[in-house]
């Protein structure tokens, strides 16, 4: 083989290697299906760059209600889920769509409403608050989107004696947490929100937290890698790297460090049951 041919072959192999490396680098990302609360609270804007710096893996987030996020996982359109409806998450895993559900962090739900509180709900009992709301002429904005927040809201209404509130002012927006808060702010209505999104919400108008501190308002988040046995194209190893990192001391510390106005939004609890 001539020197010219050897050089040409070497250059061709080098070019092919560079192309393969570039393709691999471009492919080093995962799709995460998650909730609007983790996105709109600003948590991911803080958390994901820390993960990428540690691992080189990019995370592309699709933020929607937990029900929709789980559906996305069932279809194999996501590699990993980061959601907050424990019952639905456990069913997702039991049905074979997820490998394992791991607890990550928690915050809490709060009932937001007009500072004047015309329905008189202020206190620390969410069920009594909803009973008063149902008996009032006040307006209540429901996510109505099968999200984790919506599922929690329906549980609280059921505990108050209502399968679905019949109050005239009950409105379902079919929207994320941020838009629901915007509607409540513009109409002076009540709304159930996660504390994280509320703390990051700027358009508060005349709204304030009226109900908090009830243990039933506890809001747990979990992470689940989508099962490649159902969808072979799932990037299991990269997704697992995020699941392992977010429950590691480094990931848990990054969650704890995210604050707004000095107030912590989420509390790591990877060792919870």
């Amino acid at each position: 083989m001539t020197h010219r041919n050897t050089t040409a072959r070497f250059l061709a192999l080098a070019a092919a290697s560079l192309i393969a490396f570039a393709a691999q680098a471009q492919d080093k990302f995962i799709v995460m299906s998650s909730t609007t609360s983790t996105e709109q609270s600003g948590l991911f804007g803080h958390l994901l760059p820390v993960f990428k710096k540690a691992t080189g893996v990019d995370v592309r987030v699709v933020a929607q209600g937990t029900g929709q996020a789980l559906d996305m996982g069932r279809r194999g359109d996501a590699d990993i889920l980061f959601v907050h409806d424990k019952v639905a998450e456990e069913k997702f895993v039991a049905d074979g769509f997820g490998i394992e559900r791991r607890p990550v962090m928690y915050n809490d739900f709060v009932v937001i409403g007009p500072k004047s509180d015309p329905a008189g709900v202020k206190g620390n009992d969410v069920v009594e608050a909803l009973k008063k709301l149902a008996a009032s002429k006040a307006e209540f904005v429901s996510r109505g989107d099968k999200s984790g927040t919506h599922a929690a809201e329906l549980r609280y209404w059921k505990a108050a004696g209502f399968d679905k509130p019949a109050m005239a002012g009950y409105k379902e927006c079919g929207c994320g947490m941020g838009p629901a808060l915007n509607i409540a702010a513009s109409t002076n209505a009540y709304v159930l929100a996660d504390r994280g999104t509320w703390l990051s919400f700027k358009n508060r108008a005349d709204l304030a937290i009226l109900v908090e501190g009830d243990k039933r308002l506890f809001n747990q988040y979990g992470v689940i890698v989508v099962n490649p046995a159902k969808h072979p194209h799932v990037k299991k190893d990269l997704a697992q790297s995020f699941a392992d990192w977010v429950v590691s001391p480094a990931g848990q510390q990054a969650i704890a460090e995210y604050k707004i106005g000095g107030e912590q939004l989420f509390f790591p609890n990877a060792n919870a049951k």
Side-chain angles (χ1 to χ4, degrees):
M1 185 180 291
T2 66
H3 177 71
R4 180 178 296 176
N5 287 341
T6 302
T7 302
R9 186 181 178 195
F10 174 79
L11 290 173
L13 286 170
S17 297
L18 283 172
I19 291 169
F21 178 79
Q24 186 178 14
Q26 288 175 352
D27 199 42
K28 203 169 181 183
F29 72 89
I30 55 173
V31 174
M32 177 189 289
S33 186
S34 190
T35 71
T36 60
S37 56
T38 44
E39 177 79 0
Q40 293 170 2
S41 65
L43 174 68
F44 282 157
H46 162 80
L47 192 66
L48 298 184
V50 182
F51 171 67
K52 185 173 182 179
K53 184 177 180 181
T55 65
V57 179
D58 191 32
V59 181
R60 301 177 184 178
V61 177
V62 179
Q64 53 198 332
T66 286
Q68 294 169 311
L70 290 166
D71 285 342
M72 188 171 171
R74 287 187 189 94
R75 295 192 303 269
D77 293 334
D79 302 300
I80 192 166
L81 310 178
F82 196 149
V83 288
H84 65 140
D85 185 348
K86 185 177 179 181
V87 173
E89 293 166 41
E90 289 176 340
K91 186 177 189 308
F92 181 87
V93 173
D95 289 345
F97 291 103
I99 295 175
E100 178 187 13
R101 177 195 174 274
R102 301 167 80 178
V104 177
M105 63 187 190
Y106 71 92
N107 65 358
D108 62 341
F109 294 114
V110 289
V111 176
I112 308 292
K115 291 176 184 175
S116 60
D117 190 18
V121 305
K122 190 173 178 64
N124 60 5
D125 189 323
V126 65
V127 172
E128 286 303 312
L130 293 186
K131 286 178 181 177
K132 290 177 181 177
L133 270 171
S136 75
K137 295 181 180 179
E139 292 191 2
F140 183 94
V141 179
S142 169
R143 291 273 298 271
D145 63 348
K146 297 183 179 179
S147 61
T149 304
H150 183 220
E153 178 215 317
L154 294 179
R155 287 197 302 271
Y156 303 145
W157 280 116
K158 191 166 185 177
F162 302 92
D163 285 333
K164 189 172 181 180
M167 57 188 286
Y170 185 83
K171 309 292 183 187
E172 292 182 326
C173 69
C175 62
M177 195 69 259
L181 282 166
N182 274 319
I183 294 169
S186 65
T187 59
N188 225 27
Y190 292 82
V191 62
L192 179 76
D194 70 281
R195 190 184 293 268
T197 307
W198 169 251
L199 288 173
S200 63
F201 184 61
K202 307 300 183 188
N203 182 33
R204 296 186 179 182
D206 194 43
L207 298 182
I209 293 176
L210 298 176
V211 181
E212 60 182 329
D214 189 327
K215 64 181 182 180
R216 290 170 289 197
L217 292 169
F218 179 80
N219 181 28
Q220 177 71 49
Y221 289 80
V223 65
I224 306 170
V225 175
V226 176
N227 191 351
K230 290 279 190 182
H231 301 289
H233 62 274
V234 164
K235 299 174 184 176
K236 176 186 175 295
D237 292 342
L238 294 182
Q240 191 65 53
S241 72
F242 178 82
D244 292 341
W245 177 83
V246 81
V247 300
S248 74
Q252 295 279 281
Q253 181 181 342
I255 290 168
E257 288 173 348
Y258 181 55
K259 298 178 181 180
I260 292 180
E263 189 165 356
Q264 188 171 332
L265 274 71
F266 299 93
F267 298 85
N269 68 339
N271 295 321
K273 298 297 182 184

